[in-house]
Amino acid sequence: GLVNPGPSELERTRRQLVHRLRRPLTATHRIAVTSIKGGVGKTTVATCLGLALAEHRGDRVVVLDANPDAGTLADRLTGESSVTVRELLRDIDRIHSW
């Protein structure tokens, strides 16, 4: 405990990235994760991106998986998918909160 070398290069880089993530935003933003090829990790990337933004920003994040093939986002996160995009669109006029 006599010598404190300070944060490592890795820790300084991480702090800079988190600082950039937490920068105030003036409006709603949409991020699309797309690929013409299936099975390349779009759902996993969208999930991790949403989790990282929610964790480091404290914002409410909505992640939508509109691809009906090869499992859904809800299946991967919760193991159940009783509500789909179809229900969201059907009920959009009655939805007033998160």
Side-chain angles (χ1 to χ4, degrees):
L2 296 176
V3 177
N4 181 358
S8 68
E9 181 65 32
L10 182 64
E11 181 60 24
R12 286 193 301 272
T13 301
R14 183 182 180 286
R15 286 180 186 177
Q16 289 173 348
L17 289 173
V18 170
H19 179 70
R20 288 173 59 189
L21 268 173
R22 290 181 176 163
R23 185 174 33 180
L25 300 174
T26 58
T28 301
H29 285 65
R30 293 183 189 118
I31 301 171
V33 179
T34 66
S35 174
I36 58 172
K37 178 155 176 21
V40 295
K42 296 179 295 287
T43 299
T44 302
V45 168
T47 301
C48 291
L49 182 59
L51 289 170
L53 290 171
E55 178 182 346
H56 293 294
R57 293 189 53 81
D59 293 341
R60 292 179 186 236
V61 175
V62 174
V63 180
L64 174 68
D65 185 358
N67 183 359
D69 301 329
T72 66
L73 185 64
D75 291 337
R76 294 187 188 189
L77 291 177
T78 64
E80 55 187 69
S81 58
S82 60
V83 179
T84 68
V85 174
R86 287 185 182 99
E87 281 82 19
L88 173 67
L89 294 175
R90 181 193 66 209
D91 298 334
I92 197 76
D93 293 333
R94 296 183 303 194
I95 298 173
H96 302 291
S97 70
W98 292 99

